[in-house]
Amino acid sequence: NNMRVRVVGDMAGLDDDIRARITELEETTKDYTGLNFQIALNYGSRDEIVRSVKKIVEKANRGEIRPEDVNEEMFATYLDTRDIPDPDLLIRPSGELRISNYLLWQIAYSEFYFADILWPDFGKKELEDAIRAYSLRDRRFGLVTDTEEV
């Protein structure tokens, strides 16, 4: 179905055969241009950020990166979600009003929708409600508009 599959998270603790199958799946679908399908295994955003920083520090220690080269765009290339657009909408079911260590870097400008329903019961109607609410929002990506007082 032309769907690119990516697995995000720390794969180090997985068995070799599972890591090999993940690599094979990602390699097979890497050039697909339809939907992006992400699977989070052993994923925590703080861990993702720490792993990214360690990779950058290792390269800096080898002289491959200078401190002045580090910026948001470069840092994002070390995240598990590199080459995947940041989410526009984060839907959080279960009635919880927290993001639970999920995509902390990537959701900086995402809109949030909290649903007071458990995930297994989240269906088409709830998705339509979330999309409807999202479509009514004025997305400014941190910018102040002329109508707001500073």
Side-chain angles (χ1 to χ4, degrees):
N1 292 327
N2 197 30
M3 181 173 28
R4 182 179 181 187
V5 179
R6 291 280 287 281
V7 178
V8 298
D10 184 3
M11 302 301 128
L14 299 177
D15 290 341
D16 290 343
D17 63 323
I18 295 172
R19 285 198 317 268
R21 294 190 109 172
I22 289 170
T23 300
E24 178 184 348
L25 177 61
E26 290 179 332
E27 184 64 28
T28 300
T29 64
K30 72 178 181 184
D31 296 323
Y32 292 175
T33 58
L35 293 173
N36 284 301
F37 180 59
Q38 283 81 237
I39 302 169
L41 288 177
N42 196 25
Y43 176 83
S45 191
R46 288 179 176 184
D47 175 66
E48 175 188 29
I49 292 168
V50 169
R51 286 186 286 110
S52 300
V53 168
K54 286 179 179 179
K55 291 175 193 173
I56 292 169
V57 169
E58 288 170 3
K59 284 191 168 191
N61 286 340
R62 291 193 304 264
E64 298 172 22
I65 295 175
R66 300 172 303 156
E68 57 269 21
D69 296 334
V70 179
N71 59 33
E72 288 184 22
E73 292 77 23
M74 187 273 273
F75 182 80
T77 66
Y78 287 84
L79 295 171
D80 295 346
T81 55
R82 66 194 158 277
D83 303 325
I84 299 171
D86 290 342
D88 292 312
L89 174 64
L90 175 77
I91 300 171
R92 177 61 159 115
S94 80
E96 298 289 346
L97 299 178
R98 57 185 165 83
I99 52 178
S100 300
N101 194 26
Y102 186 70
L103 299 177
L104 297 175
W105 178 273
Q106 298 86 340
I107 61 173
Y109 292 105
S110 298
E111 296 290 326
F112 292 12
Y113 180 83
F114 297 96
D116 194 17
I117 187 170
L118 296 177
W119 173 247
D121 300 321
F122 191 94
K124 181 179 178 182
K125 179 198 174 303
E126 289 76 22
L127 179 59
E128 289 171 347
D129 290 346
I131 293 170
R132 188 175 307 104
Y134 171 77
S135 71
L136 297 174
R137 303 208 181 155
D138 176 23
R139 300 201 64 208
R140 296 183 305 273
F141 300 94
L143 299 175
V144 177
T145 64
D146 291 340
T147 59
E148 294 180 343
E149 291 185 30
V150 180

